[in-house]
């Protein structure tokens, strides 16, 4: 998808002004609350009218004040998934899902409702009343409803925000599957770095109504390591597991990680902070920590007064953080062999 | 208990017919007015709002007199209708019109409250899913204000049953033609020995109004449960 945007909008004391051109299919809009992310979404979808500017997507002009073009929301074919699901309360799940599908011309119906229902795991919900759904279920139905309207682009406005902390990431695999399977460009709005890294390829960074950077989520995460309490978050896709006593050993690349996570083990995405990795020059014979991994330094990067150590561990990337002095003590240079020590309890399951 | 005369029965039947017709005829206008007040960005909205509510505070007699000026033989609308062979003044249609005008603010207020409870995002969602504004209006706004419409309609129906001031001025008090329950009561109180019959009609009037108000309360309660503020 190619997008060419130049927009100006004043709302009370807040002034939103931006100009960007991009090409891609997984784009993140990142910034703190009040940075103009939602304003951008409303302007793109045609829910607010810009004071001036233009919006062009794949060569088609959706808005241009100089040419007096302003397509109404239903003609823009831009789907929106709001923070709260906003399902129609007087309709059942099936009617909600098919609301948009029934309103598009037959030749535009590129997505088969049955296929989508299967991908989102909605079969058992179809006959239900929307008021009886859980937060995650509601958000899945809302996503399905939007996808079935076969839009040229989907805007998601902090879709995980309304969900419980423990469950919010569980919807991510559904999102990924939908966008992989049905090939719809996505504009993902969020202030969560983790969500950005899981869902987007490139990121537009906003602050106080201005575009301040065009980067990747990975880059943002590294930059933020310097002033973030939680450090850099390693996102680790872990595979098969086996039980060792009350611990789980998950396969990670061509090695294993030992985790003490509660509940049923299954393959999934886990997070590990760069702060929870201790680096040793030589193999410590024994340690209370359950993971002693041989790694090789591939790159060092600075972030504030900390140094990020990017390593390669059995074919998998891992980022640890150290202070400047440790760089000298350990003789950290690219190519250096190290042992990374990680406690079994340092991992947290995302989904 | 009460030995109602055929004219009394006619008054009751006419009251019901007038109130029902007035309510049904006012519904589309009431819905449109509430929609404009809640969702539109009209420049003169405050003025429009005031005008809508005026019949609520004006003496009904004033409303009746203004309608008479408008619809009388010399009024501009009355003259126009007369050329078309339509006569409204002193027919039961005039009673309907009087009830419509006097009860209209109640209907609009109730529908408006219901509409204000609708999350704007639901309408936005429907638009981004491909619904045009009128499609949204009929598939989202109308069903979600259904109970408010019902509550408003019942309130207006009850108000119409009791309409007197405006009715007597433009519809007159013709037994069997324009005489509704309140007008019949008025006649009985002026006639010697009519107290008993007046009381009988009063009780009928109370029973009808009370039944309608209870229905209205039930509707409002259900609405509050579904859209807690």
């Amino acid at each position: 998808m190619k997008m060419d945007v130049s927009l100006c909008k004043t709302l009370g004391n807040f002034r939103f002004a931006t100009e960007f051109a991009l090409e891609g299919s997984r784009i993140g809009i990142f910034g703190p609350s009040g940075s103009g992310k939602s304003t951008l979404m409303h302007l793109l979808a045609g829910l607010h009218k810009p004071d001036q500017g233009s919006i062009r997507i794949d060569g088609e002009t959706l808005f241009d004040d100089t040419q007096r073009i302003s397509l109404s929301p239903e003609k823009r074919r831009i789907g929106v998934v709001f923070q709260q699901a906003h399902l129609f309360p007087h309709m059942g799940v099936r009617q909600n899902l098919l609301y948009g599908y029934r309103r598009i011309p037959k030749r535009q119906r590129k997505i088969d409702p049955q296929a989508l229902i299967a991908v989102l795991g909605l079969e058992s919900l179809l006959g239900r009343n929307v008021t009886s759904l859980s937060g995650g279920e509601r958000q899945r139905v809302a996503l399905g409803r939007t996808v079935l309207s076969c839009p040229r682009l989907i805007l998601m406005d902090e879709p995980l925000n309304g969900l419980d902390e423990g469950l919010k990431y569980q919807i991510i695999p559904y999102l990924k599957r939908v966008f992989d399977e049905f090939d719809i460009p996505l504009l993902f709005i969020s202030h969560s770095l983790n969500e950005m890294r899981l869902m987007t390829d490139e990121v537009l960074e906003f602050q106080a109504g201005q575009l301040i950077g065009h980067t990747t989520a990975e880059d943002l995460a590294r930059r933020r390591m310097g002033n973030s309490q939680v450090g850099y978050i390693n996102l680790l896709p872990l595979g098969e597991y086996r039980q060792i006593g009350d611990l789980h050993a998950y396969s990670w690349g061509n090695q294993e990680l030992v985790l003490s996570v509660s509940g049923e083990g299954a393959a999934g995405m886990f997070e590990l902070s760069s702060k929870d990795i201790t680096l040793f020059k030589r193999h410590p014979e024994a340690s209370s920590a359950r993971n002693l991994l041989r790694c090789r330094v591939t790159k060092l990067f600075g972030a504030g007064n900390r140094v990020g150590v990017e390593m390669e561990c059995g074919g998998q990337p891992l980022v640890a953080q150290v202070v400047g002095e440790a760089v000298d003590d350990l003789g950290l240079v690219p190519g250096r062999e190290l042992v990374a020590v990680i406690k079994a309890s340092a991992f947290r399951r995302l989904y | 208990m009460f030995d109602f005369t055929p004219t009394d029965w006619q008054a009751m039947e006419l009251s019901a017919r007038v109130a029902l017709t007035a309510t049904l005829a006012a519904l589309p206008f009431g819905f449109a007015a509430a929609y404009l007040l809640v969702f539109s960005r009209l420049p003169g909205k405050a003025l429009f709002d005031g005008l809508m509510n005026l019949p609520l505070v004006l003496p009904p007699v004033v409303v009746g007199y203004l309608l008479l000026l408008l619809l009388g033989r010399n009024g501009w609308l009355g003259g126009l209708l007369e050329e078309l062979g339509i006569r409204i003044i002193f027919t039961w249609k005039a009673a309907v019109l009087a009830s419509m005008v006097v009860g209209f603010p109640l209907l609009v207020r109730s529908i408006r409250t219901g509409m204000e409870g609708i999350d704007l995002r639901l309408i936005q969602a429907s638009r981004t899913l491909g619904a045009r504004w009128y499609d949204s209006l009929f598939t989202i706004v109308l069903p979600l204000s259904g109970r408010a419409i019902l509550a408003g309609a019942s309130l207006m129906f009850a108000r119409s049953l009791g309409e007197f001031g405006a009715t007597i001025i433009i519809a007159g008090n013709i037994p069997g033609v324009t005489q509704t329950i309140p007008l019949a009561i008025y006649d009985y109180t002026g006639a010697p020995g009519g107290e008993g019959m007046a009381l009988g009609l009063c009780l009928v009037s109370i029973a009808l109004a009370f039944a309608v108000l209870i229905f209205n309360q039930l509707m409002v309660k259900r609405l509050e449960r579904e859209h807690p503020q």
Side-chain angles (χ1 to χ4, degrees), chain A residues 74 86 88 90 99 103, chain B residues 119 121-122 127 129 135 139:
Chain A
E74 70 272 15
H86 291 290
F88 305 129
H90 55 299
Y99 188 91
R103 281 168 174 74
Chain B
D119 191 336
R121 293 276 164 116
L122 291 175
R127 297 295 302 276
L129 289 167
D135 190 352
T139 56

Side-chain angles (χ1 to χ4, degrees), chain A residues 122-141:
Chain A
L122 297 173
E123 296 91 340
S124 60
L125 305 179
L126 289 177
R128 295 258 295 272
N129 198 323
V130 297
T131 47
S132 70
L133 302 179
S134 73
E137 288 169 340
R138 294 171 68 82
Q139 210 48 282
R140 262 151 62 201
V141 175

Side-chain angles (χ1 to χ4, degrees), chain A residues 111-123:
Chain A
I111 292 166
D112 173 27
Q114 283 315 315
L116 179 84
I117 287 165
V119 168
L120 284 172
L122 297 173
E123 296 91 340

Side-chain angles (χ1 to χ4, degrees), chain B residues 30 34 52-56 99-113 148-149 151-160 213 216:
Chain B
M52 279 298 104
N53 283 316
L54 210 52
L56 204 62
S99 289
M100 272 177 80
V101 174
V102 173
F104 196 65
L106 294 173
L107 180 70
V108 175
R109 275 173 166 248
S110 175
I111 300 179
R112 184 180 174 174
T113 309
I149 293 172
S154 56
L155 210 58
M156 181 173 169
F157 182 80
R159 176 67 185 84
S160 301
L213 278 180
N216 176 59

Side-chain angles (χ1 to χ4, degrees), chain A residues 68 71 141 194 213 270 304 335 347:
Chain A
R68 293 176 166 267
L71 294 189
V141 175
N194 273 1
F270 291 78
F347 300 86

Side-chain angles (χ1 to χ4, degrees), chain B residues 32-40 45 48-49 52 108 112 116:
Chain B
Y35 181 80
L36 287 177
L37 284 172
V38 176
F39 295 110
S40 80
K45 210 153 118 173
F48 181 55
D49 193 10
M52 279 298 104
V108 175
R112 184 180 174 174
E116 280 168 347

Side-chain angles (χ1 to χ4, degrees), chain A residues 80-241:
Chain A
V80 178
V81 178
F82 294 97
Q83 260 182 49
Q84 311 288 331
H86 291 290
L87 300 179
F88 305 129
H90 55 299
M91 300 179 193
V93 169
R94 187 191 304 271
Q95 273 179 298
N96 263 284
L97 277 173
L98 295 176
Y99 188 91
Y101 187 74
R102 288 182 176 140
R103 281 168 174 74
I104 50 173
K106 284 212 165 68
R107 63 192 153 77
Q108 275 178 26
R109 295 181 180 171
K110 288 183 187 135
I111 292 166
D112 173 27
Q114 283 315 315
L116 179 84
I117 287 165
V119 168
L120 284 172
L122 297 173
E123 296 91 340
S124 60
L125 305 179
L126 289 177
R128 295 258 295 272
N129 198 323
V130 297
T131 47
S132 70
L133 302 179
S134 73
E137 288 169 340
R138 294 171 68 82
Q139 210 48 282
R140 262 151 62 201
V141 175
L143 174 65
R145 180 176 75 172
T146 302
V147 171
L148 277 179
S149 68
C150 304
R152 72 172 101 216
L153 163 69
I154 288 185
L155 306 179
M156 299 194 90
D157 185 11
E158 313 236 9
L160 276 51
N161 245 18
L163 306 179
D164 292 343
E165 193 55 42
L167 302 170
K168 61 162 51 173
Y169 288 99
Q170 287 183 7
I171 200 172
I172 292 265
Y174 290 106
L175 292 180
K176 281 175 161 280
R177 239 181 287 157
V178 165
F179 287 99
D180 287 346
E181 193 118 335
F182 299 108
D183 196 30
I184 305 169
L186 165 69
L187 211 71
F188 189 87
I189 296 170
S190 178
H191 64 260
S192 154
L193 212 42
N194 273 1
E195 292 171 22
M196 277 292 149
R197 290 168 67 201
L198 292 167
M199 290 305 300
T200 67
D201 301 330
E202 54 186 308
V203 172
L204 298 177
E205 201 183 352
F206 279 84
Q207 202 173 59
Q210 307 281 330
L211 177 67
I212 56 165
H214 187 167
T215 172
T216 63
E218 179 60 30
D219 207 54
L220 268 181
R222 291 187 180 201
R223 258 198 286 142
R224 291 192 131 211
M225 187 186 80
N227 48 27
S228 158
Q229 293 281 329
V230 291
Y232 171 93
I233 301 296
N234 287 284
L235 297 172
L236 311 173
L238 303 186
E240 298 296 304
Y241 79 100

